[in-house]
Amino acid sequence: MGQSIQLVCQDWANTKAAYRFFSNDRVSEADILTGLFQSTRDRVVAAEGLVLVLHGTTEFSYQREKSEAIGITKSINSGRDKAGIASNSAYEASRRDR
């Protein structure tokens, strides 16, 4: 996580395949997430008792001369924008008898 596509893919063939995948108009975010949503739904249905879904947000802030180069997470009172990335995550937890 947090590495360049070239580094993660390890070679040119895998990098080229990743870029082809990302630019494929026949694949949407919804298509990619469908399997994740279905498996989460299946685990929740199979769980006995309470299932917690814990949410968290982390902001990664970066100082930049031009904040638009990375993205603006929020404007602060001084009139300067905070540049960075907001990461939202959720974790599903349930009790399992052993």
Side-chain angles (χ1 to χ4, degrees):
M1 181 97 153
Q3 300 296 324
S4 69
I5 291 172
Q6 293 86 351
L7 183 64
V8 172
C9 290
Q10 299 179 355
D11 63 31
W12 177 242
N14 290 330
T15 301
K16 194 172 176 181
Y19 281 118
R20 274 196 204 122
F21 177 76
F22 296 142
S23 64
N24 187 337
D25 292 336
R26 294 177 298 169
V27 178
S28 69
E29 181 180 356
D31 294 334
I32 295 167
L33 294 175
T34 297
L36 172 67
F37 292 154
Q38 185 61 51
S39 64
T40 301
R41 194 175 300 118
D42 293 345
R43 285 193 310 275
V44 169
V45 168
E48 294 181 18
L50 186 66
V51 176
L52 301 176
V53 180
L54 311 169
H55 294 266
T57 301
T58 302
E59 268 187 18
F60 300 92
S61 297
Y62 304 95
Q63 288 188 328
R64 292 276 193 265
E65 191 172 309
K66 294 182 179 180
S67 57
E68 65 274 4
I70 191 165
I72 297 170
T73 55
K74 70 172 100 171
S75 291
I76 53 179
N77 292 338
S78 67
R80 295 181 58 192
D81 294 325
K82 266 180 107 172
I85 301 168
S87 172
N88 299 295
S89 57
Y91 179 76
E92 161 201 340
S94 63
R95 181 175 167 231
R96 296 177 193 227
D97 293 333
R98 296 182 188 222

